[in-house]
Amino acid sequence: MAIPGFLSASAPSSPLLSAHGRSAMAGGARHPGLRSSHDRVVHGIGSAIVAGAFAQGGTLPSEELLLERFAVSRTVLREAFKTLAAKGLVVARTRVGMRVCPRQQWNLFDADVLAWHVGEGVESRLREELADFRLAMEPAAAALAARHATPAQIAQMRGLIAAMGEPGLSRLDFARADLALHKLIGQASGNRLMAGTEAVIETALFAAFTLSSPVDDAAEHQASLRGHAAIVEAIAARDGVAAAEAVCGVIRHGQQRIDAVEQREGEIRNHEG
C-alpha cells in the first residue's frame, strides 16, 4: 500500500554526499545503494520530511503503514525513529505517534540532513549561508593549522595541491582533491569541533561545483590553484594571519564565480521571457 506523496525509499540523495557523508562528486550517481534495512528506512523517511512530504508539526503515518511500506520489522522501524530523532527531524509524542519537528530544529550539521537538502536542490539562500559559515570557521581553522600542522600533514597538503593542478583534470577529481585539502586543514587545526564541520564544507563545495567548477576555465583553474597553494604555504610558514586571509580569498573567489553564473542565467531567463 503506497503512502501518498511519500518519496521512494530507495531514491538516491545528493550527487555529492553519501548516506554517511562520504564524497563521490558532481555529475554522476554517487549513491551506491543503502547498506541495511535501517539505512533504507532512515533515508526514505528523512528525505521525505526534508522534501516536504510530511508537514512540520504533523505526524508520520502509523507504524503499521510504515512497516508495510518498508517491509521491515518493528524493531528496525523504531531504531530508525531513534536515528531520525537524533537528527532533529522527529519527536515521539505519547498517544500521538512520531511528530515532524519544525525546520529550525533540524540538525544541519548532520551529513544526512544536509544531503537530503542538497537532493532537493541548493537554493541561493543555502549557498549564502554555507559561504557565511565557511568564512566564520575555516580562516580560524587555517590559523590554528599554521600552529599545529605536522610536517607530514603539510607534505600531504602539498601533494593535494599538486593533484589539483594536474592538466586535464575532471570536475570530480578536482573536487575530491579540494575537499580532501579542506578536511585536512580542519584536522590539522587540532580542534575537534572545527574538524567536525566536514559535512558543511562538503555540501558547500557541492553547491559551488554544481554551478561552476574551476576546471571549466583554464584561468579560473589557475586562480583557484594559486589561492589554495597560498593557504598551504602560509601554514607551512607558520603564518596564521596569512593562512586565514588566503582561506577567505578562496571562499570569496568561489562565491564570485557562482554569482557570475547566476547573473548570466538570470539574464538568459529575462531575455527568453
Side-chain angles (χ1 to χ4, degrees):
M1 178 180 178
I3 299 172
F6 202 167
L7 302 183
S8 166
S10 60
S13 18
S14 88
L16 174 63
L17 297 171
S18 72
H20 300 280
R22 297 188 183 90
S23 171
M25 175 78 181
R30 71 110 188 111
H31 196 69
L34 297 165
R35 298 184 303 176
S36 69
S37 296
H38 173 272
D39 291 343
R40 182 164 54 85
V41 177
V42 169
H43 172 78
I45 298 175
S47 59
I49 289 172
V50 171
F54 302 118
Q56 298 170 50
T59 57
L60 293 180
S62 69
E63 284 194 6
E64 285 67 28
L65 282 176
L66 292 172
L67 289 170
E68 183 178 351
R69 171 69 181 84
F70 291 102
V72 296
S73 70
R74 199 173 297 273
T75 299
V76 169
L77 180 62
R78 289 181 176 176
E79 287 300 316
F81 285 159
K82 290 179 183 178
T83 299
L84 291 166
K87 298 175 185 295
L89 296 179
V90 299
V91 62
R93 289 286 183 253
T94 305
R95 295 190 296 276
V96 173
M98 300 303 297
R99 186 178 297 280
V100 178
C101 295
R103 185 177 296 271
Q104 60 266 29
Q105 294 181 20
W106 300 354
N107 180 12
L108 286 179
F109 288 96
D110 182 272
D112 289 340
V113 177
L114 279 170
W116 297 327
H117 275 82
V118 171
E120 291 304 301
V122 184
E123 75 278 6
S124 295
R125 181 184 175 189
L126 179 56
R127 280 196 296 269
E128 291 169 0
E129 288 173 340
L130 289 166
D132 288 342
F133 179 84
R134 293 185 70 195
L135 285 169
M137 295 296 296
E138 289 192 70
L144 285 171
R147 291 166 50 189
H148 300 301
T150 66
Q153 286 173 324
I154 292 170
Q156 190 177 352
M157 291 177 196
R158 286 173 169 155
L160 289 168
I161 293 295
M164 292 168 67
E166 288 288 335
L169 207 62
S170 69
R171 277 188 170 201
L172 175 59
D173 288 338
F174 184 91
R176 282 173 171 160
D178 191 357
L179 176 59
L181 177 62
H182 286 280
K183 284 184 174 182
L184 183 56
I185 292 169
Q187 293 161 10
S189 74
N191 186 303
R192 290 174 295 176
L193 296 176
M194 289 181 176
T197 62
E198 292 178 355
V200 178
I201 296 171
E202 189 171 13
T203 304
L205 290 177
F206 168 76
F209 291 141
T210 296
L211 287 178
S212 174
S213 171
V215 301
D216 295 339
D217 178 90
E220 286 291 324
H221 186 190
Q222 289 304 309
S224 180
L225 190 63
R226 287 193 300 271
H228 285 86
I231 300 171
V232 174
E233 294 312 313
I235 290 172
R238 306 300 179 184
D239 188 338
V241 173
E245 290 176 350
V247 168
C248 289
V250 163
I251 296 171
R252 289 182 176 129
H253 177 254
Q255 192 61 37
Q256 288 167 2
R257 195 171 64 247
I258 292 171
D259 290 344
V261 171
E262 290 185 327
Q263 182 178 351
R264 288 196 299 271
E265 290 179 347
E267 290 171 353
I268 292 170
R269 286 194 297 271
N270 290 337
H271 179 73
E272 291 175 346

